[in-house]
Amino acid sequence: MKLKLCGAGGGRLGTLVELGRSGAAALALPGCLLYTRTGSAPHLTQDTLQEVGGVPAVAQLTLPTMAELHDVLEEYKEGAAKFIGMPDTVLYCSLHDPVTPCPSGYNTNKTVSLWGNSGRMEMTASKFMDIQRAIQPDWFQCISDGDTISGEVGRKRAKKSVDRSLSFLDVCLQLLEKSPGGGKNGTKVVSEVLSRVHSNTCSFLLGQELQGSVMFGAIEGGDILEERLRSARETAKRPVGGFLLDGFQGRAMAKETKLKLIAAVTAELPEDKPRIIHGIGKPDEVLECIERGVDIFESFFPFQVTERGCALVFSYDCHSGPEAAVLKQNGAQDLEENGAEENQDEISKADPEMTSFEIFLKDKRYQDDFGPLLEGCTCYCCQRHTRAYIHHLLMTKELLAGVLLMMHNFQHYFSFFNAIQDALRDNKLDQLKKLVFRQAFQGQQI
């Protein structure tokens, strides 16, 4: 994996090349990952996913779901990519699912707790690496202690999260580097590792499964600036392939604090390695993070929008042209309609997490609306179906509603990142930011 930066004002424009075991894949930056659940895009089959435009080259797996398949994958021996029917897709395995909240207070000096369908799973560094060996991801987040919700922990707990995460990282790096093909000093390395790691990891050392895999080190430290900087500096000293900015998800941390910490952390990281952030998905927040040096985001936000029975309609095209005008007019009109006081109470009761970037298609106003979800959109749903039809599917609880909404929301979101890349290339990120923030501000004024 190599990072090629083009240099652009306001963000890091570039490409990650030589991705995957074949080295043939690439990911344009700033970019996002394909959010999956147990390796499948939510609501979509492989065939319907192929109808979505702009699907990223890298798909995100989540460890809690994959850990429950550990025994199956270990017996299968050919890795998760082939097992889930995506052999040519680059896979990134994250520690947690960004959509599923994790209970607090269960991590220790030796274990991190994951939460899956079967409940709580305690994960040691050696067990974590053994599961990664079975998954065989191209990238994976190192196990870390990210249980530092702002406002609920103090400086002492933030320091402990950094210490634990660095300790986990050192053990995992040894296991990764010293596996056959991963290190240069094989015999010496194995003896060193065996002296520190339990003997049940010996099978891992004998395998080739993680040869070529890239580990991302997690930057922890809660909302304590000194601990965030220490975590960034110490992690940057380790031979990791990239960096994960963890602990910024949710609303617990004040926006000003969050942006200040992200800017401070990225300033400490080397320019030639990618930076991923977890838990940031709203368009306005994405742009703020890009301005502060973040490269890669998750795409869980379109899934959340779909689960609410909503469609993304925000405008992101800051370039002049007929299609841009149509998109702007369409988006502005829908946002204005959503802002009507008599309807907003109903929508807020339906889901308080709704944003101003989407329309609520269960609303009765759409039962006679025979236009597409978004004028000018080229997705499968907008080219073939109407708002009235989606409203009908939602009200009758048809599974097809989720399929069509997911196809639209994914494609719109992926196209948003293409627009960000174009804006950086044309030095128009400020115009894009103003356009997106104007739509976000409309929702805040409701």
Side-chain angles (χ1 to χ4, degrees), residues 121-182:
M121 295 174 280
E122 286 190 294
M123 197 70 55
T124 64
S126 59
K127 183 178 179 181
F128 168 81
M129 290 299 288
D130 198 44
I131 295 174
Q132 295 297 342
R133 177 186 62 79
I135 298 172
Q136 299 178 34
D138 300 282
W139 307 351
F140 62 97
Q141 170 196 349
C142 184
I143 186 173
S144 63
D145 177 17
D147 185 14
T148 53
I149 300 175
S150 180
E152 297 184 10
V153 299
R155 186 178 298 270
K156 183 177 179 181
R157 180 64 182 89
K159 181 180 184 301
K160 185 178 291 186
S161 76
V162 175
D163 292 339
R164 287 175 176 174
S165 298
L166 290 173
S167 177
F168 290 142
L169 179 59
D170 287 338
V171 174
C172 291
L173 280 171
Q174 285 184 8
L175 290 170
L176 179 66
E177 183 182 353
K178 279 70 170 178
S179 61

Side-chain angles (χ1 to χ4, degrees), residues 12 24 40 42 51 80 125 159 263 321 340:
R12 282 159 53 95
S40 298
E51 297 290 336
K159 181 180 184 301

Side-chain angles (χ1 to χ4, degrees), residues 16 19-20 24-28 32-34 54-60 86 88-92 138-139 414:
L16 271 176
L19 303 182
L27 180 67
C32 68
L33 310 168
L34 172 65
V55 176
V58 184
Q60 177 184 11
M86 302 172 69
D88 299 323
T89 302
V90 180
L91 297 183
Y92 164 69
D138 300 282
W139 307 351
F414 299 154

Side-chain angles (χ1 to χ4, degrees), residues 240-266:
V240 294
F243 304 94
L244 164 69
L245 280 65
D246 194 25
F248 293 104
Q249 52 268 45
R251 299 181 177 180
M253 189 182 296
K255 179 180 178 180
E256 295 76 15
T257 302
K258 184 182 298 186
L259 296 178
K260 179 182 177 182
L261 290 173
I262 291 172
V265 165
T266 55

